[in-house]
Each structure stands twice: as C-alpha cells, then as structure tokens.
Amino acid sequence: MPRNRLQRSNFLCILIGIVIFVIIFVVAGSLALYWCSEEEVEEPDVPPSNLVELPDCQCPPFKLMDQDDIRKNTRGQYLRNLQTWNPIIEHNTEYPCWFNIECQAVPGVSSYFTILFRSNGNPIYINRVINNQSTFVPQPREIGDFKCAQHTDGSYQWHFHNYPMTDVGFACQADVDSCHCPHIETEDPKGVGVQRRFREAPDQCYLYTAYCDTDDYYDVYVPFLYSKHTVIYNGPDKHNTFYDDLICIKEDSNVFNWYYSNKKLEDVDIKCGTIAEEFRIERVCSCEPFTVISKIEKLAKYKHSRVWRYIGQELGENSWKEDGKFNITCDEGFTGVVFSDNYDPIVLSGNYITCAYNPLSNDLHMWVVDSIRVINPAGGCFKKL
Ligand SMILES: *[C@@H]1O[C@H](CO)[C@@H](O)[C@H](O)[C@H]1NC(C)=O
Ligand SMILES: *[C@@H]1O[C@H](CO)[C@@H](O)[C@H](O)[C@H]1NC(C)=O
C-alpha cells in the first residue's frame, strides 16, 4: 500500500510539475508574444499629426507648419510673427498625388493667406482671403505647375515649375495688421488715382487699385509701387493695378513693415511712371523686364552681399533673349546666374525661366527661376569657378 501511495504521490507530483511547467510556458510565451507584438505595432511609422501623407503617392509628406517651424525656415522666417494655423489638405485616392488645400477662418481673423514653405526657397503665396472671401477663385485651391516627379538622384520630389522643392509645408497665416503699417504715399504730380478694394474689411488699409489717366503725347503712364531699393511693376493694365503680394508684418521689435512677397519695403509710395523711364526699354510684357547683364556695372543695383563675388568676374557672351519661357544659354565654360531684388544670386540648373501666373490672381504674373520667385531679375553668363 505505502508503495502504491508513493507511486500515486509521485504521479501527482509529476502531473503538477507538468501543469506548472505548461502554465509557466504559456504565460511566459504569451508575455513574450505580447511583448513582441507590441514591438511590432510600434514599428510602422505612425506619421506625427503635423505631417500629411498622400497614400500611394511617392513624394514626401507635406508638413503643416506651426510658428516654430516657420521661425526655423530660413527663407520664410520673416513670417514668423503672424498668427498661424493648419490648412486642410484634401486628396483623391484615384489620383494619388493630386491634392487641394483650404484655409478656414479662425475666431477673430477674417483675412489671411495660404502659404507654401520649403527648405530650398522663399515662401509662395497660394491664396488670399479678405473678409472671409478669396480674392481670386474660391477655395479649396490647387497649385498650378506643381507636381510630383522624379529628381535627378532618382528620389521623388514635389516640383514647382519643373524644379524640385525640399521639405514642402503649408500654413494659414493671419493678415490683420495692415492698418498698423506705415502710410503708403499716393500724392503724385503725375496724378495716380487709388481706390480702396474691399472697403468693408476693417483689417485692410492701403489695399488699393491704382490707375493712371495722365498720358501725354509721347508716353503711357502706368502705376508703380516704389520702395527705397526696388520698384514693383504689376502688369500692363494702367487702369486696374493692384498688389496682392503686399503684406504688413510685425517684426520682433514690434515695428510693422511692408513686404512685397519676401522683399522688405521702405518708404512705400504708389506713383505713375513710364516703362521707358523706369526700365530704359520701350515696352514689357506681363512681367517686369528680365535684364541681360552685358556689363558688370549692371550688377551695381543689386544690394545682396553675395553679389559682390561676381563683380570681379569674367562675363561671357549672352546668346539668349528674354521671352515668356526661355533658357539662359552660355558658351562652354560659362554658366548662367540670375540676380534679383529679393534673393541672392541663383546659379542656374539648366531649367527654363518663366514669366508665370501668380497663384494669387490670373491678373498677376511673376518670374520663376528654379522654383524661386524673383523680383526685377537680371541674368548673365559668368565664368564657371
Ligand atoms: C468670418 O467668418 C467667421 C467664422 O465663420 C466669423 O466669425 C466672422 O465674423 C466672419 N467675419 C466677417 C468680417 O464676416
Ligand atoms: C531649355 O533647355 C532644356 C534643357 O536643355 C530643354 O529641355 C528645354 O526645352 C529648353 N526650354 C526652352 C523654353 O527653350
């Protein structure tokens, strides 16, 4: 009997051992599985909420820029003090890289811009709303000449006018300070006339339509927006000139300044003048003239510090002419360089230069060079370094 009992307890012992073993195995196994599966869940990158990924599109996600991102954006930081909020980006699964963009009003703000940022260029204004109403076509907006394409290094990048942009981001930014900005002078012996657009908008002073009725026998007068170091010409319509890129910005010092696109202005006035006087040529098309640098002296008007290194350099033959869309072609050993009032010198990539529609209005045009919007550009062929 005792032997039997011993056998039974032996058997029980083994059974309990097996049960405990199985329990430990199951618990440890499932713990391990749980741990592993948790690792797995964490692995696919869940995009941070400030990235907008277009599924099935090979181009990088867009960043929704906040004020801190804008402060760190080299070419866009002049916009850092504007109230900023996120746009809505809509896409269509049928066309993976297609999207449109909309900025909706936020409390207390009825006038604002939709702005594109990137790390390799200045911001582009996409849409302007005044008093809750888009000044051009209604939102949501698409962007002309904007596409996903393969870069020369094989990667997919967003392209604007056929040139790759890096780290593309979007933001909505308030435009409510214009009545704090310096007075825009419109006293003019040549008789510029101005009319306030959007009279009902309480946050918009100096948003004018300008016109000139003072033709004399020889000359046609058109409105120009003058600043200390630049003159803005906005197309040939002398009875209906307006400046949608003009924005009032508060600096860190609490001083308010006018900017035209990314160009800071000083002592702003609107006056009538002639194309011949301003540009020393007979006539221009939709954009201001694109000057050929035939003599190094022509660089003197460009104030950017990086212009200086071109002043002592050898200038090549310019075998190109400005057109709506053109290339700067240079002799062997020389390369095209573009200078402007709002950007440092751009060494050309071989992409074309174009006088394109301004996204803010089909009545406005802008020069685009390697995706950069340039004001009063001039180009020339310089000896390759
Ligand atoms: C603009 O729209 C917002 C939100 O719909 C509203 O609160 C605001 O009063 C509107 N502003 C004007 C000037 O109509
Ligand atoms: C400019 O040059 C490029 C590259 O050589 C060429 O593909 C393009 O057609 C040219 N564009 C114009 C407008 O001449």
Side-chain angles (χ1 to χ4, degrees):
M1 280 314 253
R3 188 186 156 84
N4 219 352
R5 209 179 290 142
L6 194 68
Q7 265 182 351
R8 199 174 295 148
S9 69
N10 233 352
F11 176 74
L12 257 176
C13 208
I14 290 169
L15 199 70
I16 289 168
I18 288 173
V19 166
I20 287 174
F21 188 77
V22 166
I23 286 173
I24 288 174
F25 190 79
V26 166
V27 168
S30 49
L31 265 177
L33 268 180
Y34 176 73
W35 186 67
C36 289
S37 64
E38 221 182 19
E39 283 279 281
E40 239 166 60
V41 167
E42 267 178 359
E43 211 148 275
D45 28 310
V46 179
S49 61
N50 63 347
L51 289 182
V52 176
E53 187 122 36
L54 306 189
D56 301 325
C57 176
Q58 285 172 288
C59 271
F62 299 123
K63 185 159 199 194
L64 302 179
M65 308 280 285
D66 62 19
Q67 256 175 310
D68 201 45
D69 298 323
I70 292 168
R71 187 171 295 113
K72 291 176 193 146
N73 182 265
T74 311
R75 305 287 182 173
Q77 55 170 265
Y78 73 98
L79 298 166
R80 65 189 171 274
N81 293 329
L82 299 181
Q83 186 183 338
T84 302
W85 64 99
N86 285 348
I88 297 162
I89 294 177
E90 252 182 15
H91 62 95
N92 184 331
T93 43
E94 248 180 273
Y95 309 99
C97 292
W98 178 93
F99 71 100
N100 66 20
I101 180 162
E102 174 163 8
C103 282
Q104 293 178 346
V106 292
V109 180
S110 324
S111 299
Y112 49 89
F113 282 86
T114 307
I115 301 181
L116 178 155
F117 295 87
R118 57 323 212 332
S119 56
N120 64 337
N122 47 355
I124 305 277
Y125 305 159
I126 301 302
N127 192 68
R128 185 171 190 174
V129 167
I130 291 170
N131 235 17
N132 286 341
Q133 196 192 327
S134 281
T135 58
F136 182 37
V137 289
Q139 298 192 80
R141 287 291 310 270
E142 290 173 51
I143 306 170
D145 279 290
F146 188 97
K147 64 170 190 234
C148 178
Q150 216 165 357
H151 188 24
T152 45
D153 67 5
S155 68
Y156 280 84
Q157 294 294 348
W158 295 105
H159 284 60
F160 187 53
H161 289 281
N162 251 6
Y163 191 85
M165 294 184 295
T166 44
D167 309 308
V168 176
F170 293 101
C172 310
Q173 293 203 282
D175 164 36
V176 293
D177 289 327
S178 95
C179 300
H180 298 120
C181 247
H183 180 74
I184 294 183
E185 193 60 63
T186 55
E187 287 294 316
D188 174 21
K190 298 267 167 45
V192 74
V194 292
Q195 218 162 34
R196 254 184 92 179
R197 299 159 71 204
F198 304 95
R199 282 163 195 277
E200 21 4 296
D203 54 12
Q204 297 296 321
C205 301
Y206 310 108
L207 193 68
Y208 293 136
T209 300
Y211 51 92
C212 299
D213 284 329
T214 47
D215 296 348
D216 59 29
Y217 189 74
Y218 297 104
D219 278 315
V220 176
Y221 284 84
V222 291
F224 288 98
L225 180 82
Y226 293 91
S227 161
K228 208 165 176 179
H229 296 301
T230 193
V231 46
I232 309 287
Y233 165 75
N234 249 0
D237 188 347
K238 69 198 190 83
H239 294 301
N240 180 26
T241 295
F242 56 94
Y243 302 98
D244 268 358
D245 298 271
L246 195 60
I247 179 171
C248 180
I249 287 172
K250 187 172 148 187
E251 312 285 1
D252 293 341
S253 56
N254 284 335
V255 170
F256 291 88
N257 280 312
W258 289 110
Y259 282 73
Y260 183 82
S261 184
N262 67 324
K263 169 73 186 160
K264 184 177 177 171
L265 307 180
E266 278 174 84
D267 306 330
V268 187
D269 56 3
I270 301 175
K271 284 188 203 155
C272 294
T274 66
I275 300 285
E277 260 168 27
E278 284 308 328
F279 300 128
R280 294 188 179 70
I281 60 169
E282 286 303 304
R283 52 187 295 273
V284 292
C285 299
S286 309
C287 287
E288 68 270 19
F290 197 111
T291 309
V292 180
I293 298 175
S294 47
K295 294 183 299 206
I296 218 79
E297 291 79 50
K298 289 200 180 180
L299 285 185
K301 91 177 264 284
Y302 295 104
K303 304 294 175 204
H304 200 283
S305 58
R306 290 195 202 155
V307 173
W308 294 113
R309 70 189 205 89
Y310 288 93
I311 291 199
Q313 265 188 50
E314 193 184 336
L315 205 56
E317 284 297 313
N318 285 289
S319 50
W320 57 277
K321 231 174 62 195
E322 164 193 324
D323 198 356
K325 197 171 189 179
F326 68 98
N327 283 320
I328 289 189
T329 45
C330 299
D331 289 346
E332 190 73 29
F334 289 82
T335 188
V337 182
V338 171
F339 303 84
S340 63
D341 285 346
N342 65 318
Y343 214 82
D344 35 308
I346 302 170
V347 178
L348 295 178
S349 64
N351 192 21
Y352 57 80
I353 291 166
T354 181
C355 171
Y357 283 117
N358 183 326
L360 293 181
S361 168
N362 275 1
D363 292 325
L364 300 172
H365 287 73
M366 57 184 190
W367 284 114
V368 180
V369 176
D370 285 356
S371 88
I372 310 291
R373 180 203 180 152
V374 287
I375 298 168
N376 290 325
C381 293
F382 286 81
K383 187 106 189 166
K384 268 190 191 151
L385 293 179

